[in-house]
Amino acid sequence: MPRQLPKNVGNGLNCTSCHLNAGTTAYASPWVGLAGAFPEYRSRSGKIISLQERINDCFQRSMNGKPLAFDSAEMNAIMAYMKWLSTGVPTGTNVTGRGFEKIDTSLKPNPVHGKSIYTAQCASCHGAEGQGTKNPHGGYIFPPVWGKDSFNVGAGMARMYTAAAFVKHNMPLGQGGTLSEQDAVDVAAYFTEKPRPDYAARLKDWPKGDKPRDAR
Ligand code: HEC
Ligand code: HEC
């Protein structure tokens, strides 16, 4: 992605760094069925948004980049792919595993314990400094989880409970589901609070005043 769309991607991630297996993995926010799920109300935007707007939200936040024009070849290609993935899913229904696993948001985070989990179970791939593991031929083998090449503070993944829900089901890669819910919250509290690019427009998020506790 950074190489295919250098003007629109401002970090070292790919869409599929989070939407695993090309957007087909349940509980890793799959794209299956989204063609018939949007337009949809989003509390972060405070209005009904189109699938193109939702895609651009991830370009601007998760990818720390710039939105695509709705009529660009790239946007049309992404839309066509999501439409194809949605073949056979009735309009207006959600596939099982849309979004992430539910996580108990009353759990209190312990970032100090989270650091020890990170060191033992995450740092081998994502780096002791969250910097990821670079591919000598360009890009990353294991993507960064904080720092300048990671998602920005306005991204869904920068929210502790959202990150915990992703990690609980999907990380460590290949061993998803092995962390307890508390451990997932603790490790998410550790890495989400680390330095990462800012996103000034986040101050306009949740215009109706229903901002979640873990939003930055
Ligand atoms: C850093 C992780 C990350 C990356 C990289 C990322 N996303 Fe996302 N994406 C998320 C999260 C987290 C959500 C759900 C956010 C929420 O609901 O709070 C999401 C939601 C979405 C949704 C809506 C899903 C639904 O069920 O409504 C779409 C569509 C989407 N992303 C497309 C993309 C595209 C296209 C790219 C690449 C240009 C991308 N994302 C890159 C984390 C990421
Ligand atoms: C074996 C290597 C490996 C381990 C260990 C691992 N991950 Fe990952 N992780 C990956 C890969 C690879 C991806 C991107 C998925 C892809 O490209 O298919 C990823 C993606 C992520 C992402 C979303 C993308 C980003 O860079 O922000 C987060 C967050 C994450 N991992 C957190 C963790 C946490 C927390 C742990 C420890 C509990 C962990 N990972 C352990 C390999 C690993």
Side-chain angles (χ1 to χ4, degrees), residues 1 13-15 18-19 29 31 34 38 42 51 54-55 58-59 62-63 78 82 98 100 151 156-157 159 162:
M1 261 320 217
L13 302 185
N14 294 311
C15 301
C18 302
H19 300 278
S29 193
W31 296 331
L34 294 186
F38 284 83
R42 295 262 308 157
L51 184 52
R54 185 65 194 83
I55 289 166
C58 269
F59 268 103
S62 302
M63 312 292 280
I78 296 172
M82 290 183 184
R98 182 173 176 198
F100 300 108
F151 52 88
M157 198 62 86
R159 289 178 51 194
T162 303

Side-chain angles (χ1 to χ4, degrees), residues 64-77:
N64 192 39
K66 296 197 170 59
L68 288 174
F70 281 17
D71 60 355
S72 62
E74 293 84 2
M75 178 61 88
N76 283 334

